[in-house]
Amino acid sequence: MKKECIAMLLAGGQGSRLYALTQKMAKPAVPFGGKYRIIDFPLSNCSNSGIDTVGVLTQYQPLELNDYIGNGQPWDLDRLRGGVHILPPYQTASGSSWYEGTANAIYQNMRFIDRYNPEYIIVLGGDHIYKMDYSKMVDFHKEHSADATIAVLNVSLEEASRFGIMTCDSDCRIVDFTEKPKEPKSTLASMGIYVFTWDKLRKYLIENENAGGSKDFGKDIIPAMLQNNERMYAYSFNGYWKDVGTLYSLWEANMDILNSSDLELYDADWKIYSRNMSLPPQYIGPEADIQDSLVSDGCSVNGSVHSSIIYSGVTIENNVVIDHSVVMPGTVIKSGAVVKYAIIGADSVIESDVKIGASKEETGENQKWDIAVIGHGEVISSGVSVAPGQMIPTV
């Protein structure tokens, strides 16, 4: 059963910089945008790009992610030949081990890939928010007879040291690559999206496994291919892309839905699919005041909601103020509570007269400001104040 291209989606990371939001779930399973999970974006991109075989490599806290993906039906990936496959680490005759790095995770699943005998594989991260037609990147790879193609975007010079940075010639061929350089030579940053000719990558995975090291694409595979003068090209991406690996970037990406036309979720030609519960329509009470906000199905709103993302099944009682905040599914916010510049985790209860977070202006120049964060399933007792930048529980 030969496939031209299959996708391998790396979804096993702990997401430690999301702290309280990833204590009980993998980062790709974290809710996003009112009705989605982070992993909906690469899965939907695969479906929309005509890639019907996807391996999802899980490891850390996989239960909720596995349940959410299921048989892949919401993304049209429930196929008899191909479809979506959950690929956790497993024991073999020679022993067992966790995935030790991004390259090692692919190496441990070479038998899965070989079942489909693909010409190309596309390697994806499970923690980015973006819409991208992978088929165009594969076409670019084929047109250049490339061994590896790396999706890149231009970042500011100040941000460049956070990424793998490439230098290219006039034909987009990569001539230099440095992982998180202190003094970047360019601002072309790797997006962590790779297309490889499978026969070539297979060879490098085996060599890298035997050599030891960090077993990582950015630290091992890409430098080794470059050193051996393999044909490596940069594919430029100009759309919206956000790494939501930190609490602030996750909050900011949610706010971008309200503020940016670049992250268009209402595009009928490139839908983002998700698995959703059957919930009644949202109820907006007579005392509700909603401005520049997104309110999902199953919500009951009787308070004030400004510039915020309210996920499904949230209850907001009378005299509640919510401003520039993200409230995740199933949360109850009781009368008199004030929530500003905050992320509230799923299934939490915010009792009456609680104050969470504040704006930069309210905080003042002499005090540290950041978004306040409440983890999943927390109960915040009446009258408690949670300062800007404070997290409950502390991790």
Side-chain angles (χ1 to χ4, degrees):
M1 178 173 40
K2 186 176 180 63
K3 297 275 186 180
E4 183 186 42
C5 181
I6 71 171
M8 299 294 280
L9 204 168
L10 300 166
Q14 182 176 353
S16 57
R17 292 179 299 163
L18 291 181
Y19 302 102
L21 298 180
T22 52
Q23 290 300 292
K24 300 174 183 177
M25 68 176 68
K27 179 163 57 171
V30 170
F32 177 82
K35 63 176 289 186
Y36 305 104
R37 305 286 182 118
I38 294 171
I39 201 168
D40 286 328
F41 287 80
L43 286 177
S44 297
N45 288 339
C46 286
S47 180
N48 291 329
S49 301
I51 296 173
D52 64 6
T53 304
V54 184
V56 181
L57 285 66
T58 62
Q59 180 160 278
Y60 172 80
Q61 293 283 15
L63 181 60
E64 186 152 356
L65 185 61
N66 294 353
D67 285 347
Y68 182 72
I69 294 173
N71 67 353
Q73 185 273 331
W75 307 273
D76 193 28
L77 292 171
D78 51 336
R79 305 296 181 93
L80 289 176
R81 295 183 178 180
V84 67
H85 299 260
I86 305 297
L87 302 172
Y90 59 90
Q91 187 170 5
T92 66
S94 58
S96 63
S97 67
W98 294 111
Y99 295 144
E100 298 174 48
T102 53
N104 175 258
I106 304 298
Y107 171 83
Q108 289 198 40
N109 287 284
M110 287 198 304
R111 287 183 61 194
F112 168 80
I113 298 169
D114 286 339
R115 286 174 59 192
Y116 297 100
N117 190 24
E119 291 281 338
Y120 313 103
I121 74 163
I122 182 164
V123 179
L124 308 169
D127 52 1
H128 302 138
I129 302 297
Y130 66 110
K131 298 192 295 182
M132 181 178 182
D133 188 342
Y134 301 138
S135 67
K136 292 181 179 179
M137 185 175 173
V138 173
D139 288 343
F140 176 93
H141 180 88
K142 291 190 285 188
E143 289 164 8
H144 289 78
S145 300
D147 298 308
T149 299
I150 302 174
V152 299
L153 76 166
N154 262 307
V155 297
S156 67
L157 191 61
E158 293 74 24
E159 288 183 296
S161 59
R162 295 174 42 224
F163 297 92
I165 297 296
M166 272 149 287
T167 305
C168 300
D169 64 16
S170 58
D171 192 36
C172 299
R173 185 163 179 172
I174 300 168
V175 296
D176 184 72
F177 176 86
T178 309
E179 182 75 4
K180 298 180 180 179
K182 292 183 180 179
E183 296 182 3
K185 297 178 183 178
S186 85
T187 56
L188 275 182
S190 169
M191 299 167 63
I193 300 169
Y194 312 106
V195 174
F196 292 100
T197 299
W198 173 233
D199 287 345
K200 185 71 69 168
L201 176 60
R202 198 179 194 284
K203 167 181 171 287
Y204 277 92
L205 289 173
I206 293 170
E207 291 176 357
N208 180 245
E209 191 69 21
N210 293 332
S214 60
K215 304 178 182 179
D216 182 83
F217 280 105
K219 295 176 182 177
D220 296 325
I221 302 295
I222 303 303
M225 294 184 75
L226 194 60
Q227 186 175 5
N228 291 332
N229 203 33
E230 304 289 5
R231 294 179 61 83
M232 304 177 67
Y233 286 82
Y235 176 80
S236 293
F237 178 74
N238 298 314
Y240 181 95
W241 181 86
K242 177 81 79 172
D243 181 345
V244 288
T246 66
L247 290 166
Y248 185 82
S249 65
L250 178 64
W251 173 83
E252 192 174 45
N254 274 279
M255 293 298 105
D256 285 344
I257 295 171
L258 304 176
N259 303 324
S260 171
S261 59
D262 292 331
L263 184 55
E264 176 56 73
L265 298 181
Y266 300 93
D267 182 359
D269 295 327
W270 201 269
K271 293 180 181 178
I272 303 300
Y273 302 100
S274 63
R275 182 181 298 280
N276 290 297
M277 297 182 292
S278 297
L279 293 171
Q282 62 267 58
Y283 169 75
I284 309 301
E287 297 182 21
D289 172 22
I290 301 176
Q291 299 179 28
D292 188 27
S293 296
L294 188 157
V295 180
S296 297
D297 289 351
C299 291
S300 174
V301 180
N302 287 283
S304 172
V305 179
H306 292 179
S307 302
S308 295
I309 305 286
I310 310 299
Y311 289 66
S312 57
V314 169
T315 298
I316 298 170
E317 295 186 353
N318 294 333
N319 302 316
V320 168
V321 173
I322 299 177
D323 183 31
H324 283 85
S325 293
V326 175
V327 183
M328 292 185 174
T331 287
V332 176
I333 302 180
K334 297 189 176 180
S335 178
V338 176
V339 178
K340 295 186 177 182
Y341 292 82
I343 296 176
I344 311 297
D347 301 314
S348 293
V349 177
I350 310 303
E351 298 285 1
S352 59
D353 301 317
V354 167
K355 183 175 181 181
I356 299 174
S359 68
K360 287 183 179 179
E361 292 74 20
E362 291 172 313
T363 304
E365 295 182 5
N366 297 324
Q367 291 179 278
K368 182 180 178 181
W369 180 88
D370 203 345
I371 59 166
V373 178
I374 307 299
H376 304 298
E378 296 295 320
V379 177
I380 308 302
S381 301
S382 296
V384 168
S385 291
V386 180
Q390 186 177 350
M391 185 188 313
I392 296 178
T394 56
V395 177

